[in-house]
């Protein structure tokens, strides 16, 4: 049943547009020894604020349940992403408008893939990372990191100890944080007068266009648009001064915020807001059509997998992504339909996927022997993975994708 909640940005009423049902935490891989322990479930549903148009989850999961010492996701797991973050760091190093001794803070620095470049170049920096395991990986690379959640109090502490930040950066992290008032008050407190807050997250425009419904899960609380981010910034004395579309993770936008009036907004901001208005991104009929497409994909994917099972074909999953928790639990995909999933992340291997308990194995298991079909859960890394696994295709294997629709390649 459709329910209402209150916007975590402006306190307006949030109207629900899709209910995925009860879901486990997307990165809570299950130890086979503890399979009888009860898993934590929450209601995964998404809505839109009637006032500020921010798209957000209807229900919030306590942050300590998701981000803790055992949090498995490692940013360096993809070569393409590694290059992406290193390119951003190089851009910071080459920025002409940064003074002689800039200070860069990263929220959610994870395993330190971006900050390592700055650390190696001798730039003053600080990573803020509550997940202890990945924070340790960053520290081992020589990155300066504090193991805590960024919020207003953290920002004030950093300001006292290090002074103002010229650049605050957050990749795939701001959208994870429901307590936006504390974050943006903290950013405003910490930012140097001419500093910038740069963050990049999955773009709701791309999620709609590609029906990439699996971007919706516990950790992704907000789904930004230029319009909603511009309004959000204004509430906190900040201004959206630039937007840049990025190809990574199935389509993202990199937003740049500055103190209100400090910088001239680029034309790209007005252009993207205008495009969103033309496309009526958050209009009720657009959102209900999205929901209908999701339900259609669910039905098609489950019937395809059941048919392949009945025909005696083997199907293996590729990439035990957080996103796949949404797909598996929405579609009821368990080990009867997908025998196992391969994934390069050490902390996921030997575990079972959340909720539907598909075993996760190391990538070497993929070729021993190749399955008939591979369900590409890590579709956002398709180019990288398909190139690396060309021999699967050569051996007659076929990839199953479900974004933007169910298809076999
Ligand atoms: N920036 C990396 C990691 C993204 S995963 C990348 O783009 O690949 C999201 C990260 O945000 C996790 O490592 C999580 O521990 C961290 N995180 C969650 N809440 C946070 C908060 N309040 N402050 C800082 N980091 C946070
Ligand atoms: P990703 O899609 O980046 O994020 P999320 O978990 O937020 O949905 O996750 C990619 C997963 O796929 C990650 O667990 C690592 C794995 N992976 C491989 O196993 N092999 C590869 O070649 C790549 C690129 C990723
Ligand atoms: Zn709102």
């Amino acid at each position: 049943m459709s329910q209402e909640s209150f916007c975590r940005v402006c306190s307006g009423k949030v109207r629900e547009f899709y209910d995925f049902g009860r879901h486990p935490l997307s990165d809570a891989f299950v130890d086979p020894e503890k399979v009888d322990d009860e898993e934590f479930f929450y209601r995964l549903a998404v809505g839109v604020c009637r006032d500020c148009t921010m798209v957000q989850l209807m229900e919030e999961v306590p942050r300590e349940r998701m981000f803790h010492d055992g949090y498995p996701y490692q940013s360096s797991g993809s070569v393409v992403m590694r290059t992406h973050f290193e390119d951003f760091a190089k851009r910071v190093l080459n920025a002409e408008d940064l003074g002689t001794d800039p200070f860069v803070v990263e929220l959610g620095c994870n395993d330190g893939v971006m900050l390592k470049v700055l650390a190696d170049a001798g730039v003053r920096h600080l990573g803020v990372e509550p997940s202890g395991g990945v924070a340790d990986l960053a520290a081992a690379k020589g990155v300066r990191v504090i193991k805590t959640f960024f919020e207003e109090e953290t920002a004030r502490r950093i300001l006292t100890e290090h002074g103002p930040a010229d650049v605050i950066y957050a990749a795939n992290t701001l959208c994870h944080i429901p307590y936006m008032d504390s974050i943006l008050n903290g950013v405003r407190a910490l930012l140097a007068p001419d500093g910038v807050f740069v963050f990049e997250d999955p773009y709701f425009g791309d999620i709609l266009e590609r029906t990439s419904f699996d971007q919706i899960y516990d950790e992704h609380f907000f789904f930004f648009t230029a319009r909603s981010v511009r309004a959000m910034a204004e509430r906190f004395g900040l201004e959206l001064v630039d937007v840049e579309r990025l190809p990574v993770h199935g389509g993202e936008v990199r937003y740049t915020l500055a103190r209100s009036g400090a910088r001239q907004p680029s034309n790209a901001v007005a252009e993207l807001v205008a495009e969103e208005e033309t496309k009526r991104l958050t209009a009720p009929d657009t959102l209900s059509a999205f929901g209908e497409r999701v339900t259609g994909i669910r039905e098609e994917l489950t019937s395809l997998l059941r048919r392949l099972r009945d025909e005696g074909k083997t199907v293996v999953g590729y990439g035990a992504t957080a996103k796949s928790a949404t797909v598996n639990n929405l579609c009821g995909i368990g080990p009867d339909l997908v025998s196992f999933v391969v994934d390069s992340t050490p902390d996921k291997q030997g575990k079972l996927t959340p909720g539907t308990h598909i075993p996760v194995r190391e990538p070497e298991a993929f070729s021993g022997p190749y399955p008939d079909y591979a369900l590409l859960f890590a579709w956002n890394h398709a180019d990288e993975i398909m190139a690396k696994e060309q021999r699967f295709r050569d051996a007659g294997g076929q990839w199953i994708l479900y974004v933007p629709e169910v298809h076999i390649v």
Side-chain angles (χ1 to χ4, degrees):
M1 204 186 74
S2 184
Q3 296 186 5
E4 268 184 344
S5 66
F6 294 96
C7 176
R8 291 298 255 121
V9 174
C10 81
S11 304
K13 276 190 182 166
V14 178
R15 190 183 59 81
E16 183 174 317
F17 63 86
Y18 200 79
D19 184 359
F20 291 83
R22 314 256 346 137
H23 280 236
L25 303 184
S26 58
D27 270 313
F29 289 84
V30 177
D31 183 339
E33 308 272 298
K34 298 185 186 151
V35 77
D36 293 330
D37 292 4
E38 213 171 294
E39 279 176 81
F40 178 85
F41 278 73
Y42 69 104
R43 189 174 82 93
L44 178 60
V46 63
V48 61
C49 175
R50 289 170 198 229
D51 293 338
C52 75
T53 74
M54 182 63 83
V55 177
Q56 55 202 281
L57 296 190
M58 303 301 291
E59 214 176 88
E60 177 179 334
V61 171
R63 61 188 187 178
E64 289 80 7
R65 281 197 178 271
M66 299 183 281
F67 310 116
H68 44 69
D69 290 354
Y71 181 70
Y73 184 76
Q74 295 182 15
S75 305
S76 297
S78 146
V79 178
V80 170
M81 290 313 298
R82 221 147 57 209
T83 310
H84 171 79
F85 291 128
E86 287 165 2
D87 285 350
F88 178 77
K90 286 178 201 154
R91 217 200 261 197
V92 172
L93 290 178
N94 295 328
E96 283 164 8
D97 55 351
L98 285 179
T100 48
D101 179 28
F103 177 44
V104 179
V105 174
E106 184 178 11
L107 321 184
C109 70
N110 198 273
D111 62 9
V113 60
M114 193 287 283
L115 283 181
K116 183 186 186 310
V117 179
L118 300 186
D120 289 349
V123 173
R124 280 200 303 135
H125 67 276
L126 186 67
V128 185
E129 177 50 71
S131 297
V134 290
D136 286 342
L137 295 175
K141 294 184 173 115
V143 167
R144 190 163 188 178
V145 55
I146 51 171
K147 284 189 203 175
T148 189
F149 288 96
F150 184 86
E151 55 194 346
E152 188 171 352
E153 190 270 328
T154 325
R156 295 193 184 280
R157 192 152 42 90
I158 297 172
L159 182 67
T160 307
E161 285 173 25
H162 302 267
D166 300 284
V167 178
I168 304 177
Y169 177 62
N172 307 297
T173 295
L174 200 67
C175 76
H176 289 56
I177 308 181
Y179 37 101
M180 192 57 88
D181 49 344
S182 176
I183 297 294
L184 292 184
N185 285 330
V187 164
R188 205 186 42 213
L190 179 58
L191 211 55
D194 194 33
V196 285
F197 176 35
V198 181
F199 59 96
E200 55 194 65
D201 288 287
Y203 177 50
F204 188 60
D206 288 314
I207 294 175
L208 279 183
E209 199 155 312
R210 300 174 188 201
T211 320
S212 44
F213 64 97
D214 57 346
Q215 291 284 12
I216 301 169
Y217 56 89
D218 55 338
E219 292 170 24
H220 286 178
F221 187 84
F222 288 116
F223 303 90
F224 300 132
T225 61
R227 178 179 169 180
S228 63
V229 167
R230 188 169 70 173
M232 175 175 84
E234 269 172 27
R235 298 185 73 84
F236 294 91
L238 299 166
E239 189 171 7
L240 178 61
V241 296
D242 199 20
V243 288
E244 184 188 348
R245 295 188 76 157
L246 306 172
V248 297
H249 288 313
E252 300 208 323
V253 170
R254 178 177 284 160
Y255 304 90
T256 303
L257 269 47
R259 289 182 184 281
S260 297
R263 293 188 179 220
Q264 180 68 29
S266 71
N267 293 337
V269 174
E271 282 166 15
L272 190 56
V273 171
E275 183 185 319
E276 291 170 354
E277 267 164 35
T278 309
K279 289 184 173 166
R280 303 175 67 253
L281 280 197
T282 52
D285 54 333
T286 308
L287 299 174
S288 62
F290 168 79
E292 281 160 24
R293 294 199 301 279
V294 175
T295 303
I297 290 175
R298 183 189 71 191
E299 283 163 14
E300 260 191 70
L301 184 60
T302 32
S303 54
L304 170 67
L305 293 174
R306 284 188 191 140
R307 180 167 64 75
L308 293 176
R309 176 193 57 194
D310 296 346
E311 289 172 0
K313 305 283 193 226
T314 49
V315 183
V316 159
Y318 205 109
T321 56
K323 292 183 285 294
S324 70
T326 295
V327 181
N328 288 332
N329 288 281
L330 181 72
C331 304
I333 301 171
D336 56 324
L337 296 177
V338 171
S339 338
F340 59 89
V341 189
V342 292
D343 194 285
S344 58
T345 315
D347 285 352
K348 296 181 183 178
Q349 295 163 3
K351 304 262 178 67
L352 307 171
T353 61
T356 66
H357 296 181
I358 306 173
V360 183
R361 298 176 62 184
E362 64 290 351
E364 291 70 30
F366 189 56
S367 57
Y370 282 123
D372 299 312
Y373 293 88
L375 178 55
L376 187 55
F377 288 124
W379 55 265
N380 46 313
H381 302 296
D383 291 346
E384 181 175 346
I385 291 173
M386 286 182 181
K388 173 157 75 179
E389 301 291 359
Q390 181 55 39
R391 281 165 56 191
F392 166 60
R393 271 258 193 67
D394 297 343
Q398 290 182 288
W399 294 99
I400 302 173
L401 287 112
Y402 48 82
V403 168
E405 62 214 346
V406 178
H407 61 291
I408 295 177
V409 293

